[in-house]
Amino acid sequence: MFAGLTGWHLLIILAVILLLFGAPKLPALAKSIGQSMRIFKGEVDELKKDGKDGKSDQVADGTATTTTAQSTAAPTVTPAPAPVDPSTESNPKS
């Protein structure tokens, strides 16, 4: 993939990067890339650790959760009473 790149090619690429970003911004750019890589590495290590020991840690600690069977029957819902129209009431007030 990089077989055709020589030292001169890399030097030209670095010069273009320097022109695009400017000399004062390069240290901040390198610092932010380093911090991002450090965070990424930590997250990958954490995922690897969780993948290996995740199930065995839960069983050893006694924190493994068991699923309980839930009732599949629908809950009983009582309908709300229908509103009464005063004009059609059977006992008119006298």
Side-chain angles (χ1 to χ4, degrees), residues 26-81:
L26 286 179
L29 179 68
K31 182 180 178 181
S32 66
I33 289 173
Q35 287 176 344
S36 299
M37 292 301 294
R38 194 174 309 121
I39 291 170
F40 181 73
K41 182 182 176 188
E43 292 295 325
V44 168
D45 289 342
E46 185 70 26
L47 285 175
K48 286 180 183 177
K49 180 185 157 204
D50 287 345
K52 290 179 188 174
D53 303 332
K55 292 180 182 177
S56 62
D57 285 347
Q58 286 181 351
V59 173
D61 293 344
T63 58
T65 57
T66 57
T67 57
T68 58
Q70 294 180 351
S71 173
T72 58
T76 308
V77 178
T78 55

